[in-house]
Amino acid sequence: MKRDIYPPLESEGARKLSNIQREILKIKKEREAVILAHNYVCREIQEVADFTGDSLGLSREAKKTGAKVIAFAGVDFMAETAKILNPEKIVVIPDSNAGCSLEELCEASKLASLKAEHPDALVISYINCGAKVKVLSDIICTSGNALDIVSQISPDREIIFCPDRNLGSWIEEKLNRKMILWNGYCKAHVKYSPNDILELKKEFPNAPAIAHPECPKEVRDVCDCVCSTEKMISFCKTNPSDTFLIATISEMVHRLRKEVPDKTFVSVPSGNQPSQRCDHMLLNTPEKLLECLKNLSPRIELDASTIEAARAPIERMLTMSK
Ligand code: CIZ
């Protein structure tokens, strides 16, 4: 199979901005906007973003921005988080159809029923969920701070962890504690198989394999490191290897190459695909980013009571994460 191999960025030389990227920067200035981009969006958008990062970093940036408009290149629950933290600001998203399978697999009414069965349980929800699920949660976490957050909860307290069963089971293993796990999953990360990793390792025997905790346990078990996207950057910076096998959404390699420009990254294939993409993140195109900045639409709109109730568990996360 063809491999998606990304050689060191420093070997590529400087890249000129395209016309559309220049237009985006011009309209961004006119609108007094900030562009926040998730690590999983395309390279062209990452190159014009004011900040590119994971949900935790993006939430922190959203909280401190002085801009009038936030253009959020990511998926809807991330842009909603920016709106919840900035109710007075205009938050736009390039494509309002950019959602998340985890969000789809966790209906608020079903979580409410589970909570009723476990009235004393603390609900910790992965940030990949809708605003109504956030309202029902006690604390939000991201893959970057999930271990840290859960480890701060007394061992005798029952925890409902939702919606990602794979992130949840990884936390259970690492912290040696049981939780009530919601049965959700990321449709992209569950497509990897251990064989995809083991076959690639034969071709790159010295390259550590790094998997996202949204991957199933059998996949995580054959990898050398399991961590969030931001932690992948620090791992690749400090590990002496010059090549790494990356088992997460392949757009992450653009961020890795920018931050670690002297190393090579290889996307782990899944099934018959040379790398794994997220259909929702791919809806973020430079053309749509330009349009949403021009039209200030589509906008994220949430009612005041949802904003107020969803804000508390997000703020709790920001306070609890180092
Ligand atoms: O936390 C996030 O932003 C996601 C979805 C992945 C990661 O590990 O950064």
Side-chain angles (χ1 to χ4, degrees):
M1 182 197 293
K2 171 188 164 290
R3 298 296 186 210
D4 280 349
I5 302 174
Y6 299 83
L9 188 65
E10 64 187 17
S11 64
E12 239 184 42
R15 237 164 77 102
K16 272 176 61 185
L17 287 184
S18 65
N19 288 345
I20 190 153
Q21 285 177 310
R22 277 200 297 272
E23 265 190 84
I24 291 171
L25 292 176
K26 184 166 166 277
I27 186 89
K28 180 192 86 156
K29 205 165 165 199
E30 287 167 18
R31 291 283 188 225
E32 295 179 56
V34 67
I35 300 175
L36 302 182
H38 192 269
N39 287 331
Y40 290 162
V41 299
C42 66
R43 180 178 182 177
E44 290 72 20
I45 293 183
Q46 293 195 20
E47 283 171 344
V48 292
D50 295 281
F51 182 85
T52 303
D54 67 350
S55 303
L56 179 60
L58 292 166
S59 309
R60 288 192 175 124
E61 287 301 312
K63 199 171 171 205
K64 71 179 190 217
T65 184
K68 287 190 180 152
V69 173
I70 299 175
F72 206 114
V75 294
D76 57 3
F77 72 81
M78 298 175 181
E80 276 180 4
T81 304
K83 181 71 183 175
I84 291 164
L85 292 170
N86 293 279
E88 75 296 348
K89 293 199 162 90
I90 295 174
V91 178
V92 290
I93 181 165
D95 190 321
S96 53
N97 293 315
C100 171
S101 54
L102 280 160
E103 183 183 357
E104 286 159 18
L105 291 168
C106 189
E107 268 173 48
S109 59
K110 292 191 180 150
L111 178 60
S113 308
L114 184 65
K115 272 182 73 155
E117 285 166 31
H118 301 271
D120 296 328
L122 191 79
V123 179
I124 303 185
S125 296
Y126 188 26
I127 197 161
N128 298 34
C129 62
K132 290 195 173 121
V133 168
K134 289 189 173 78
V135 167
L136 294 173
S137 306
D138 295 294
I139 312 170
I140 298 301
C141 72
T142 68
S143 46
N145 62 17
L147 291 175
D148 185 21
I149 300 248
V150 175
S151 65
Q152 291 176 54
I153 310 303
S154 162
D156 46 23
R157 184 82 196 263
E158 193 173 35
I159 296 176
I160 294 175
F161 186 85
C162 80
D164 190 352
R165 65 177 185 220
N166 291 309
L167 176 63
S169 73
W170 178 67
I171 299 168
E172 286 188 331
E173 272 162 51
K174 298 293 277 184
L175 300 181
N176 194 20
R177 82 178 279 172
K178 289 304 278 175
M179 301 188 290
I180 300 163
L181 300 185
W182 192 265
N183 193 18
Y185 53 88
C186 162
K187 281 187 184 154
H189 284 94
V190 296
K191 288 195 181 134
Y192 291 112
S193 77
N195 212 31
D196 295 326
I197 314 266
L198 296 171
E199 283 300 311
L200 197 61
K201 271 181 166 258
K202 285 186 198 155
E203 290 170 47
F204 299 91
N206 299 320
I210 311 174
H212 194 271
E214 288 175 22
C215 292
K217 176 173 168 49
E218 325 73 90
V219 171
R220 301 193 308 258
D221 282 351
V222 295
C223 286
D224 303 281
C225 172
V226 178
C227 62
S228 68
T229 56
E230 285 301 308
K231 289 189 178 150
M232 288 182 188
I233 297 169
S234 44
F235 180 83
C236 296
K237 272 188 186 161
T238 52
N239 188 284
S241 180
D242 58 8
T243 303
F244 298 89
L245 315 179
I246 306 297
T248 194
I249 307 303
S250 67
E251 277 62 30
M252 179 59 200
V253 295
H254 307 309
R255 180 78 202 291
L256 282 164
R257 291 178 88 208
K258 181 171 171 237
E259 304 293 340
V260 199
D262 56 336
K263 299 194 178 181
T264 295
F265 300 96
V266 185
S267 287
V268 171
S270 74
N272 53 6
Q273 309 284 353
S275 55
Q276 193 47 255
R277 323 290 300 273
C278 168
D279 293 340
H280 290 286
M281 288 286 180
L282 289 176
L283 293 174
N284 289 274
T285 62
E287 290 76 14
K288 288 185 200 164
L289 175 59
L290 179 64
E291 286 306 302
C292 83
L293 278 163
K294 272 189 189 160
N295 305 329
L296 293 183
S297 161
R299 281 186 201 194
I300 301 290
E301 309 280 8
L302 290 170
D303 62 71
S305 60
T306 304
I307 290 182
E308 203 189 317
R311 191 181 171 106
I314 299 172
E315 293 280 8
R316 222 164 273 137
M317 165 185 83
L318 293 172
T319 309
M320 288 173 80
S321 19
K322 290 179 195 128

